Amino acid sequence: LSCLVQIKYSRRHMSRSNEIKRVSIEGNIAVGKSTFAKLLQNAGQDWEVIAEPVSKWQNVDQTTKQTVDGAQQPSSNLLEMMYHDPKRWSYTFQTFSCMSRMRTQLQPLAARVLQSTGTPGQVYERSVYSDRYIFALNMFELGCINSTEWAVYQDWHSFLVEQFGHRIQLEGIIYLRASPQTCMERLGRRGRMEEQGIQLDYLEKLHTKHEDWLINKSTKVHFEHLVKVPVLVLDAEVEFEKDTKVQDDLLTKVKDFFS
Ligand code: DGT
């Protein structure tokens, strides 16, 4: 009987996996992606949020325990190392952030979402594309990733996306757009220890990268399918965390975008 149930579940899972809507939420640091993702999740049973694996970057040894041979080092915080010494650690950071993004986004749909009656959706906080076209590219332009590292990164990134990309293909991108000044204020308010040294200038560069990729479409992207992914631009300048009217407006726009 358990075998039969398992087969039924797998069939249902496979058929539903094909109809999943995959959406990525993009935007500058501290713009409110996690808050917005939670809003989407709470708005209905059909959305599953795949959070950005920041805690894995803050605790690498715990994350890699199962897959690394030999003695464990004391816990390393790669996020802190990258901000502290970007020239030394940016390439390492991008390998780990991209791999952990891919790994979490490839995980199967939650049972709760599978059982919903509507079209199931997975919402990603950022994507393997922002990993490359926002952060890694910016680090390369800042000189924190050298040209050899950049060539190596792009080579394995293209290979991975070509091999696995069809399983996490995006149906849409939601761009939460706010000024770098607003993001700086929000970043200061949340007080994440690793981010204390971030300057406005860094957020301005990341903002320009988002605008080039998602608004001006001037970023040279390697993946043909990515160019065709529709982008919903939402004004995140307004504080939406506690304002239910603003939240309803934003959710209506998302609903219209995907209907
Ligand atoms: P939210 O929910 O909009 O407030 O977003 P955050 O700030 O929690 O999440 P996010 O994606 O901006 O990233 C968390 C931290 O990790 C932040 O300090 C930026 C950094 N980060 C994220 N992805 C990358 C990456 O690919 N490369 C580099 N260098 N840093 C990254």
Side-chain angles (χ1 to χ4, degrees), residues 27-35 52 54 57 79 82-83 93-94 97 101 125-126 130-131 135 139 190 192 195 198 202:
N28 213 336
I29 299 176
V31 70
K33 295 177 293 297
S34 326
T35 311
E52 191 172 47
V54 182
W57 311 336
L79 185 66
M82 183 269 299
Y83 279 128
F93 187 91
Q94 294 310 144
S97 60
R101 279 185 169 117
E125 279 180 47
R126 295 202 195 277
S130 34
D131 200 283
F135 285 100
M139 286 307 192
R190 84 167 164 210
R192 189 181 274 153
E195 297 173 343
I198 292 182
Y202 183 64

Side-chain angles (χ1 to χ4, degrees), residues 5 12 68 97 171 200 251:
V5 171
R12 181 170 166 72
V68 174
S97 60
E171 189 136 331
L200 181 62
L251 288 173

Side-chain angles (χ1 to χ4, degrees), residues 230-249:
V231 179
L232 172 67
V233 183
L234 293 179
D235 180 7
E237 197 64 38
V238 275
E239 294 292 340
F240 59 87
E241 192 167 359
K242 295 192 180 93
D243 190 328
T244 50
K245 166 85 179 66
V246 178
Q247 291 176 3
D248 288 346
D249 286 350

